[in-house]
């Protein structure tokens, strides 16, 4: 798998054996652990057109390119879970099906130890915005936001 073009982890656990891999694309609802992974292009939690969660259980994960998420009118969405930490500033966010975003819902698109904000999104011209704070990134409609601690 080293330096493969794409890797799909449908409901699987991929133990990397402490190795380092670079892939251009990553998709699925599986778990990647025990190694370093670099993704240079597209990340599709769940898979293209399917809602799911992709778990990156590594502390050394480098992502660049675009995070592609699918959403549902019921508030469900793809989610990238990275408890080891990721920097969102190297990623563009692409909501694949903007017409499915339903006002009043909040969509959790990333969880874990998050830093930075998405480099760009395809949300311009919509009432939707991304709110990233410490351990989650969410899509929500614009308005006044109060954060209490």
């Amino acid at each position: 798998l080293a330096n493969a073009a794409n890797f799909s982890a449908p409901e699987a656990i991929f133990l990397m054996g402490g190795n380092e891999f670079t892939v251009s694309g990553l998709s699925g609802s599986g778990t990647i652990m025990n190694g370093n992974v670099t993704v240079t292009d597209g990340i599709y939690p769940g898979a293209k057109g399917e809602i799911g969660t992709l778990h990156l259980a590594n502390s050394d994960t480098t992502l660049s390119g675009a995070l592609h998420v699918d959403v549902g009118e019921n508030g469900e969405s793809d989610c990238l879970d990275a408890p080891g930490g990721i920097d969102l500033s190297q990623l563009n966010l692409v909501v694949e099906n903007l017409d499915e975003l339903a006002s009043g819902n909040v969509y959790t698109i990333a969880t874990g130890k998050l830093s930075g904000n998405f480099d760009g999104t395809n949300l311009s011209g919509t009432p939707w915005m991304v709110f990233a704070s410490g351990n989650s990134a969410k899509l929500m409609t614009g308005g006044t936001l109060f954060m209490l601690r």
Side-chain angles (χ1 to χ4, degrees):
L1 175 66
N3 301 316
N6 290 287
F7 177 72
S8 180
E11 302 294 328
I13 296 175
F14 179 56
L15 298 172
M16 296 174 49
N19 294 306
E20 187 170 317
F21 297 100
T22 299
V23 295
S24 63
L26 185 61
S27 68
S29 292
T31 300
I32 307 236
M33 58 192 308
N34 192 22
N36 302 333
V37 63
T38 299
V39 182
T40 60
D41 191 12
I43 300 106
Y44 296 85
K48 291 181 183 181
E50 296 179 20
I51 292 176
T53 300
L54 179 61
H55 302 278
L56 302 175
N58 306 318
S59 59
D60 294 318
T61 301
T62 303
L63 303 176
S64 61
L67 173 62
H68 297 263
V69 297
D70 293 298
V71 298
E73 290 179 352
N74 59 359
E76 291 184 328
S77 65
D78 284 334
C79 184
L80 181 64
D81 177 45
I86 55 169
D87 180 2
L88 299 175
S89 68
Q90 301 300 309
L91 292 170
N92 285 304
L93 173 65
V94 178
V95 178
E96 291 292 326
N97 51 344
L98 289 168
D99 57 324
E100 295 289 319
L101 289 167
S103 184
N105 287 332
V106 175
Y107 299 89
T108 301
I109 56 172
T111 58
K113 185 179 172 187
L114 309 177
S115 62
N117 290 308
F118 288 103
D119 187 41
T121 74
N122 67 334
L123 298 172
S124 63
T126 75
W128 293 88
M129 63 181 189
V130 177
F131 177 71
S133 172
N135 62 0
S136 69
K138 300 176 184 290
L139 288 174
M140 57 185 65
T141 53
T144 304
L145 176 67
F146 292 97
M147 187 169 155
L148 303 173
R149 289 186 184 226

